[in-house]
Amino acid sequence: MQMQNRQSQNAVLIGVLLVVCALAGGCWNPFRKEPIAGSQRAGSLTNGYSLLVGLAGQESKVGLVTWVRDYDGEVGDLLEDVQEAAKDINGWLGDISGRLKSNGVLMDRNGLPEVEQWARNWIEGRTRKTILGGKIQKSELVMVLSQAKATEYIAALCAGLANIEVNDARRDKLKKYAARFESLNERCLGLLKVKGEDEMKKEKAEEEREEDADEQGEERL
């Protein structure tokens, strides 16, 4: 009888401690499905979600380039699908931002060092110049290459966030987005191979034409 009373008292004590911890937010709670503000986990989620928000925001406008460049049908379809996926994840991030913010996870933080941010901006400007001002074949090639990098990065960010996310629903959603962008990345790589081979063939044909022209000029002399 005394043993049963002691077990009951211990169970009550454990329950009280868990409630106190949950209310205080200062210690681990096995039933908690949200990060603790100020914790290392909350900081890691802040960095990851902030990077994802920034990149998804950029990719949600990628289809606008077709307003000024007349791309091949496959490239245009790819950009449309990437833009749609980015808008989808961007909307979802907006939906969960309030709940995460209340638990110390912010989505508007730039976790990149200053020099790395400068380098990224420099690369982005150089890429944009080639896409908007270069020959259409090279523009397509660079655009597909940029999308291969972007979709791979988004897939990796989603997978990484899913690995540290404590909320089951958000973790499952992130895994689905990771798979979706990985599939888009595979399309980019396949198209990149085709466009790269086409570009090499065109360059080779131009070289052969120049050689023929030089030979004809020498014969006339």
Side-chain angles (χ1 to χ4, degrees), residues 56-67 76-90 147 151 180-181 184:
Q58 291 178 352
E59 290 301 296
S60 66
K61 303 173 184 176
V62 70
L64 295 177
V65 71
T66 57
W67 292 9
D77 291 342
L78 173 66
L79 296 181
E80 184 177 341
D81 290 343
V82 171
Q83 178 173 277
E84 182 180 349
K87 285 183 177 180
D88 189 4
I89 194 172
N90 219 26
Q147 292 311 295
T151 52
R180 184 175 180 180
F181 278 92
L184 287 168

Side-chain angles (χ1 to χ4, degrees), residues 76-201:
D77 291 342
L78 173 66
L79 296 181
E80 184 177 341
D81 290 343
V82 171
Q83 178 173 277
E84 182 180 349
K87 285 183 177 180
D88 189 4
I89 194 172
N90 219 26
W92 175 71
L93 290 169
D95 292 339
I96 66 173
S97 61
R99 180 65 180 273
L100 283 170
K101 184 177 181 179
S102 66
N103 288 282
V105 177
L106 306 177
M107 294 189 180
D108 58 353
R109 296 295 185 266
N110 182 8
L112 297 175
E114 182 179 357
V115 174
E116 183 174 352
Q117 185 62 59
W118 185 93
R120 289 192 180 203
N121 292 339
W122 184 87
I123 293 172
E124 183 180 340
R126 186 168 180 264
T127 301
R128 186 186 300 113
K129 182 178 179 180
T130 303
I131 289 173
L132 296 179
K135 293 182 179 180
I136 189 65
Q137 293 85 0
K138 188 173 183 180
S139 176
E140 282 187 341
L141 187 61
V142 173
M143 172 55 80
V144 175
L145 177 60
S146 70
Q147 292 311 295
K149 294 178 180 179
T151 52
E152 182 181 43
Y153 194 22
I154 291 179
L157 283 173
C158 289
L161 281 165
N163 191 50
I164 62 173
E165 178 59 78
V166 296
N167 181 277
D168 294 336
R170 291 197 297 267
R171 185 189 305 115
D172 291 342
K173 194 75 171 179
L174 285 164
K175 288 180 178 179
K176 290 179 180 178
Y177 279 126
R180 184 175 180 180
F181 278 92
E182 187 175 1
S183 177
L184 287 168
N185 176 255
E186 291 174 357
R187 282 178 59 188
C188 290
L189 295 178
L191 194 53
L192 188 61
K193 181 180 179 181
V194 172
K195 292 297 178 182
E197 290 175 349
D198 289 345
E199 184 67 16
M200 289 178 64
K201 289 178 182 178

Side-chain angles (χ1 to χ4, degrees), residues 2-17:
Q2 291 180 348
M3 180 66 70
Q4 291 180 346
N5 290 336
R6 186 174 300 172
Q7 290 177 344
S8 298
Q9 291 174 354
N10 289 339
V12 172
L13 180 60
I14 292 173
V16 171
L17 288 174

Side-chain angles (χ1 to χ4, degrees), residues 25-26 32 34-46 103-105 166:
R32 185 183 179 91
E34 294 296 339
I36 299 173
S39 66
Q40 183 177 354
R41 179 66 57 88
S44 296
L45 288 169
T46 289
N103 288 282
V105 177
V166 296

